[in-house]
């Protein structure tokens, strides 16, 4: 199982971090060990002093493929949820400034959180997916898939140009504006529409 992530897929978030809006998807990966297993506590990593949440829509690949055309890509995912791409922002800024890879800041154990899965029907694919996250019961991020720079289908097509995609692979599709810091004791809850997908406490 592979975990793909899209960086800078919402213009308002690219701007808040001072990044240019990309011309093609920015893709990075997390290993399988990054996935927080359900009913496992999430611990603040000891190497980090500025932990950021990034709430994202996550889709799950349902068909093996390579060189998938955009017009066929909607057949390659069949489940969606909300997740968190946890980021050691202090470390990432340091690595970025040196032109080094991001893995230590993004791909560490348990840095990928996913909520419960919702089956995606073809009818659902025609409408935008709305999602949000609260921190200590206050809404901190709100997203709408129609504001993504690259759609799910464009992302799948782009990823599959470089990597085969396989059943069970996950794609974190990027975070909207409102990313921010969290500390030990914070409670984060993710919602798809009105439905709560996960609740997590930083320990
Ligand atoms: Zn992200």
């Amino acid at each position: 199982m592979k975990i793909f992530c899209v960086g800078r897929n919402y213009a308002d978030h690219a701007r808040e971090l001072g990044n240019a809006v990309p011309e093609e998807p920015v893709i990075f990966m997390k290993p399988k060990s990054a996935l927080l297993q359900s009913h496992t506590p999430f611990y603040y990593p000891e190497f980090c002093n500025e932990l950021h949440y990034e709430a994202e829509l996550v889709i799950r690949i349902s068909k093996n493929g390579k060189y998938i055309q955009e017009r066929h890509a909607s057949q390659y995912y069949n489940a969606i949820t909300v997740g968190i791409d946890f980021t050691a922002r202090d470390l990432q800024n340091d690595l970025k400034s040196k032109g080094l890879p991001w893995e230590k800041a993004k791909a560490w154990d348990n840095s990928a959180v996913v909520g419960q899965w919702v089956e995606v029907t073809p009818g659902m694919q025609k409408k935008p997916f709305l999602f949000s996250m609260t921190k200590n019961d206050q809404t901190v991020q709100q997203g709408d898939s129609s504001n993504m720079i690259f759609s799910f289908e464009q992302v799948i097509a782009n990823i599959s140009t470089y990597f085969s995609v396989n059943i069970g692979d996950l794609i974190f599709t990027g975070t909207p504006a409102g990313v921010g810091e969290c500390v030990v004791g914070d409670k984060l809850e993710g919602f798809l529409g009105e439905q709560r997908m996960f609740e997590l406490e930083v320990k």
Side-chain angles (χ1 to χ4, degrees):
M1 190 269 279
K2 305 186 287 302
I3 303 172
F4 298 100
C5 302
V6 186
R8 306 171 193 169
N9 203 18
Y10 290 82
D12 55 356
H13 168 64
R15 270 185 240 115
E16 78 179 344
L17 292 187
N19 293 313
V21 173
E23 282 166 25
E24 77 161 281
V26 174
I27 303 294
F28 60 95
M29 291 172 81
K30 297 187 187 230
K32 194 178 167 190
S33 50
L35 192 65
L36 182 72
Q37 300 299 320
S38 49
H39 310 297
T40 306
F42 176 81
Y43 292 103
Y44 196 107
E46 80 278 2
F47 49 79
C48 169
N49 291 307
E50 190 187 355
L51 178 66
H52 273 203
Y53 54 80
E54 294 189 356
E56 313 199 356
L57 290 170
V58 186
I59 55 175
R60 193 172 63 196
I61 295 293
S62 56
K63 205 168 147 179
N64 297 334
K66 180 99 212 241
Y67 301 117
I68 300 161
Q69 290 177 13
E70 190 185 322
R71 67 176 194 277
H72 297 137
S74 63
Q75 299 159 29
Y76 284 78
Y77 68 97
N78 69 354
I80 190 165
T81 190
V82 178
I84 306 174
D85 163 22
F86 271 115
T87 303
R89 191 72 72 200
D90 50 344
L91 203 49
Q92 189 196 24
N93 287 338
D94 185 49
L95 294 166
K96 269 165 75 176
S97 72
K98 293 173 182 158
L100 294 172
W102 289 354
E103 277 86 349
K104 285 181 173 175
K106 284 276 198 186
W108 34 278
D109 285 3
N110 302 334
S111 61
V113 172
V114 293
Q116 63 186 86
W117 292 99
V118 173
E119 195 190 330
V120 174
T121 60
M124 287 164 73
Q125 290 175 323
K126 294 192 181 78
K127 290 183 233 148
F129 290 95
L130 305 179
F131 67 107
S132 62
M133 194 170 74
T134 62
K135 183 173 91 169
N136 305 329
D137 302 317
Q138 305 257 14
T139 301
V140 286
Q141 287 192 278
Q142 281 182 304
D144 175 336
S145 61
S146 63
N147 292 330
M148 295 191 304
I149 299 167
F150 302 103
S151 67
F152 295 153
E153 288 74 21
Q154 288 172 313
V155 165
I156 290 170
N158 184 267
I159 286 173
S160 74
T161 306
Y162 303 89
F163 310 96
S164 53
V165 298
N166 297 104
I167 296 169
D169 288 351
L170 306 182
I171 305 177
F172 281 69
T173 59
T175 196
V179 301
E181 201 171 355
C182 50
V183 296
V184 173
D186 281 345
K187 182 182 72 168
L188 301 170
E189 291 172 281
F191 298 85
L192 183 64
E194 299 294 306
Q195 199 186 347
R196 191 171 74 170
M197 299 284 111
F198 67 80
E199 178 183 1
L200 173 144
E201 192 193 324
V202 180
K203 298 206 182 269

